[in-house]
Amino acid sequence: NAGVMQNPRHLVRRRGQEARLRCSPMKGHSHVYWYRQLPEEGLKFMVYLQKENIIDESGMPKERFSAEFPKEGPSILRIQQVVRGDSAAYFCASSPRTGLQDYGYTFGSGTRLTVV
Amino acid sequence: TQLLEQSPQFLSIQEGENLTVYCNSSSVFSSLQWYRQEPGEGPVLLVTVVTGGEVKKLKRLTFQFGDARKDSSLHITAAQPGDTGLYLCAGDRGYNKLIFGAGTRLAVHP
């Protein structure tokens, strides 16, 4: 299965803890995108990364959130000192290159974060 | 303010009925995509429309992009229980990020 792999599928954290969400893009895809989905809402863009570069982080909260896509290994979305409002489904998508008209996203199954 | 408005929010119909879902905006998009999302899963791309007035068919699903590239519709003919899911439209304004509508939740009953 060469799809976008996200883990863990479910993550429970207490308020104040850190959450680390991992995403391995499809083979051959070098562009990774993170989106957040709140209950009964559509997906909201967070960040767009290429290997070792953050291209667009305009959707990321200024504090507590960070993302990376290292040369080796998966992309990581890190949330420090989680609060209840961070509870959501976090989706990663990948594409082979830019140009949404020609290369659509492939989404992973998401990580459902619950902050208790 | 929702940049992409989807309607209806919820739709419950019987197997065999036809339905149309709308996606409207005051903004112009380079392209527009439709996804279907099932519970506990990520969205799956159904179609991308690029040209104003474009119509694409995918079996019983017909997608149309408005002439001005601001709106789109999805029409399903003879709906089946397997069509049940959340249908999301998403617009591309050329910055490699999608703007999603809130979705239409469709339930098709046997």
Side-chain angles (χ1 to χ4, degrees), chain A residues 9 33 35 37 56 58 109, chain B residues 37 40-42 96-98 101:
Chain A
R9 289 291 303 269
Y33 313 82
Y35 282 75
Q37 186 176 34
D56 181 350
S58 59
S109 297
Chain B
Q37 185 179 18
E41 296 299 328
N96 287 303
K97 57 190 176 190
L98 289 174

Side-chain angles (χ1 to χ4, degrees), chain A residues 45-48 54-62, chain B residues 95 97:
Chain A
F45 170 81
M46 298 183 75
V47 63
Y48 162 36
I54 297 174
I55 307 302
D56 181 350
E57 57 181 348
S58 59
M60 287 269 277
K62 293 287 185 286
Chain B
Y95 301 108
K97 57 190 176 190

Side-chain angles (χ1 to χ4, degrees), chain B residues 55-106:
Chain B
V55 176
K56 281 192 174 179
K57 289 184 184 286
L58 188 66
K59 296 184 181 177
R60 293 176 294 101
L61 278 60
T62 302
F63 304 86
Q64 185 161 9
F65 201 13
D67 291 340
R69 290 186 289 135
K70 292 182 181 181
D71 51 80
S72 181
S73 63
L74 157 60
H75 182 80
I76 302 179
T77 304
Q80 299 176 1
D83 295 327
T84 293
L86 178 67
Y87 289 82
L88 296 160
C89 66
D92 166 25
R93 296 182 70 186
Y95 301 108
N96 287 303
K97 57 190 176 190
L98 289 174
I99 297 166
F100 279 83
T104 292
R105 194 165 297 280
L106 171 65

Side-chain angles (χ1 to χ4, degrees), chain A residues 1-5 24-27 94 106-108:
Chain A
N1 183 355
V4 177
M5 303 302 293
S24 296
M26 280 188 72
K27 190 176 180 181
S94 72
T106 301
F107 278 92

Side-chain angles (χ1 to χ4, degrees), chain B residues 3-4 24-30 32 65 68-71 93 99:
Chain B
L3 199 56
L4 268 175
N24 294 302
S25 176
S26 57
S27 300
V28 176
F29 293 100
S30 304
L32 195 138
F65 201 13
R69 290 186 289 135
K70 292 182 181 181
D71 51 80
R93 296 182 70 186
I99 297 166

